[in-house]
Amino acid sequence: MVFVICSYLLYIYYMIMKDLSSFLYLGFLRCSLGSRITADIWGVVRGGMSSNVTSTNPSNYTFSLFQEGDGHKEDDDSLPGRFLRMHKGNRKKAKASLNETLHWRKEKHVDTILGRPHSIFDLCKEFQPHFFMGRDPEDHIIFVQRPGFTRLYLVPHLTEELLLMHYCYLMEYCWNIMENRPDQTMTAILDLATVKLSKAREMLFFVTAYVKMMSHHYPQRSFKTLIINAPTWFSMIYKIVKPLLRESTKKKIRILSKSDKQHEILVETLGENVPPEVAKGEEFTGWKDLPMEKKLREFCLSRLIENGVEMLSVPVKN
């Protein structure tokens, strides 16, 4: 979440590859193993484990789509400003989008997701490294995704739905607890280090669903997007699709390749605390010790304890 601009570029790549290649890993995140966890809604876990559907004290962590100061109280149709800006003031489209999101939140029990146990938090985090790095000099939260370091051996233990709702959990935590200013935006870092065409294709099935969730239900949350350690093939694709993007979108995106110049821009945009491993495109395990990440995991562990549920351990690669 998140993230729409980052994922949108990969989605464009997906649409191109869909026509040019017969290979698409449709089984991604849909393996059928006896030990796999499956879920119909967040908090209903099967496969030998059980958990409560709601928290023992969910009222403390129930959050509506509507936030104080988001403009919905002053609007004749109770529309938050983000939904109006999403459709450039078109009220009919904004109302349709709002109703779609309200239906989705009700269907997925999103309002209470933070009060329910998230026992696969560690598993989702290890599957593909992603973390809140801190804030940039303009006070925007920085969120980093590193798809090139995805651990595909964990695929059998997840489903697309579980992974999507994990990102939903992160977005709800981000915009309700970590940062509750209704119109605040995020600086996103998409690190493409070690991403190869073959791995990108394997991830596209999830990316399309992720883009849909983020663009439909968390609109107007992007401040700036840096795509770093970009391989040659990605830059070529971007040149093809760039003319199709809105000017406002193009202004938010910057594509960088590994170099001293990239490091300078990262420091200028994000501040001095850029992990050198991220700038160099190397494995970075220190994200677990970042202050925002430690608080996030502590919050998750507290909800597990309240509900008498244990965090599931992350399987070790054989």
Side-chain angles (χ1 to χ4, degrees), residues 125 130-136 140-145 178 187 189 226 228 266-267 269-276 278-279 284 287 289-293:
K125 281 286 188 177
H130 54 279
F131 49 89
F132 293 102
M133 197 175 81
R135 291 181 182 269
D136 66 19
H140 300 93
I141 288 174
I142 303 168
F143 187 75
V144 181
Q145 292 173 284
M178 190 185 302
T187 294
I189 308 299
L226 296 182
I228 66 174
L266 285 175
V267 172
T269 306
L270 308 178
E272 296 289 343
N273 298 320
V274 179
V278 173
F284 174 59
W287 62 265
D289 296 319
L290 295 171
M292 284 185 173
E293 283 296 319

Side-chain angles (χ1 to χ4, degrees), residues 44 50 78 80 94-95 149 193 205 207 214 222 246 282 290:
V44 179
S50 63
S78 298
K95 284 191 284 186
F149 296 93
F205 190 78
V207 168
M214 298 302 297
S222 172
R246 292 193 299 269
E282 300 172 352
L290 295 171

Side-chain angles (χ1 to χ4, degrees), residues 16-204:
I16 294 172
M17 292 303 298
K18 185 177 180 182
D19 293 331
L20 297 181
S21 174
S22 61
F23 177 81
L24 181 62
Y25 185 39
L26 294 176
F28 182 64
L29 295 178
R30 291 180 179 273
C31 298
S32 178
L33 297 179
S35 62
R36 185 189 63 167
I37 306 165
T38 60
D40 299 318
I41 60 172
W42 206 240
V44 179
V45 181
R46 297 174 182 172
M49 294 287 292
S50 63
S51 92
N52 299 326
V53 175
T54 58
S55 169
T56 55
N57 192 13
S59 60
N60 290 339
Y61 300 104
T62 297
F63 297 96
S64 165
L65 175 149
F66 302 102
Q67 293 179 294
E68 193 67 33
D70 66 2
H72 79 277
K73 290 183 178 180
E74 296 78 20
D75 188 82
D76 292 339
D77 297 307
S78 298
L79 292 171
R82 290 187 297 111
F83 283 82
L84 276 170
R85 293 193 298 274
M86 174 187 183
H87 293 290
K88 296 183 177 180
N90 187 315
R91 304 189 71 81
K92 182 177 180 180
K93 290 183 178 180
K95 284 191 284 186
S97 292
L98 176 63
N99 288 334
E100 179 185 356
T101 294
L102 289 172
H103 176 77
W104 171 77
R105 292 182 70 91
K106 182 178 180 180
E107 180 184 28
K108 302 297 183 182
H109 303 266
V110 175
D111 285 7
T112 57
I113 194 170
L114 293 180
R116 300 199 306 277
H118 182 4
S119 61
I120 60 169
F121 177 88
D122 285 351
L123 183 60
C124 292
K125 281 286 188 177
E126 289 293 333
F127 172 67
Q128 181 189 104
H130 54 279
F131 49 89
F132 293 102
M133 197 175 81
R135 291 181 182 269
D136 66 19
E138 298 183 59
D139 203 32
H140 300 93
I141 288 174
I142 303 168
F143 187 75
V144 181
Q145 292 173 284
R146 311 192 79 198
F149 296 93
T150 298
R151 294 168 174 80
L152 292 176
Y153 73 89
L154 294 176
V155 164
H157 303 278
L158 290 168
T159 65
E160 176 189 315
E161 177 70 5
L162 286 171
L163 199 53
L164 283 173
M165 295 312 293
H166 167 73
Y167 276 98
C168 173
Y169 184 95
L170 297 183
M171 291 299 97
E172 291 298 309
Y173 178 86
C174 176
W175 300 123
N176 289 294
I177 294 179
M178 190 185 302
E179 172 59 84
N180 60 8
R181 288 176 286 181
D183 292 324
Q184 183 65 314
T185 52
M186 178 185 291
T187 294
I189 308 299
L190 179 62
D191 184 0
L192 296 183
T194 78
V195 173
K196 295 181 173 57
L197 286 174
S198 58
K199 182 175 287 189
R201 286 196 294 262
E202 291 176 351
M203 296 168 58
L204 291 173

Side-chain angles (χ1 to χ4, degrees), residues 234-276:
F234 190 85
S235 299
M236 291 172 60
I237 290 169
Y238 183 68
K239 288 180 181 179
I240 295 173
V241 302
K242 186 176 180 180
L244 305 177
L245 301 177
R246 292 193 299 269
E247 283 301 318
S248 59
T249 300
K250 286 188 282 189
K251 290 179 181 178
K252 294 180 179 180
I253 300 171
R254 192 160 188 179
I255 300 177
L256 305 168
S257 297
K258 190 185 302 182
S259 64
D260 291 339
K261 182 64 175 178
Q262 172 180 270
H263 186 264
E264 292 175 11
I265 294 172
L266 285 175
V267 172
E268 177 186 332
T269 306
L270 308 178
E272 296 289 343
N273 298 320
V274 179

